[in-house]
């Protein structure tokens, strides 16, 4: 199974839509900022927190970048 098929299968299992290419890029940026601002393990945790908060990837990226700039 390639990454697109896997993503589609997971989205279907979660009963959510497949993220757009832009959303995927923002999530990857969130993970990158989190990993480089603290420890690598913070990348998935910060992404999870942004989902719990109900933020769009764009909103979350703005907030995470702001927090990272304060460190």
């Amino acid at each position: 199974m390639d990454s697109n098929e896997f993503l589609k299968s997971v989205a279907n299992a979660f009963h959510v839509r497949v993220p757009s290419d832009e959303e995927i890029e923002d999530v990857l940026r969130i993970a990158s900022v989190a990993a480089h601002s603290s420890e690598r393990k913070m990348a998935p945790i910060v992404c999870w927190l942004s989902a719990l908060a109900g933020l769009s990837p764009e909103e979350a990226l703005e907030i995470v970048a702001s927090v990272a700039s304060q460190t």
Side-chain angles (χ1 to χ4, degrees), residues 3-67:
S3 60
N4 289 328
E5 292 169 341
F6 181 76
L7 182 59
K8 184 177 179 179
S9 294
V10 170
N12 287 336
F14 286 165
H15 305 287
V16 297
R17 67 176 177 75
V18 175
S20 68
D21 290 342
E22 182 177 279
E23 290 168 324
I24 290 169
E25 286 302 314
D26 283 345
V27 170
L28 293 173
R29 285 187 198 104
I30 292 165
S32 177
V33 171
H36 289 100
S37 299
S38 183
E39 297 177 47
R40 286 176 48 178
K41 67 182 180 182
M42 288 299 104
I45 296 168
V46 169
C47 290
W48 179 61
L49 288 175
S50 69
L52 281 177
L55 299 170
S56 71
E58 183 179 17
E59 293 168 321
L61 178 58
E62 184 177 318
I63 293 168
V64 172
S66 175
V67 170

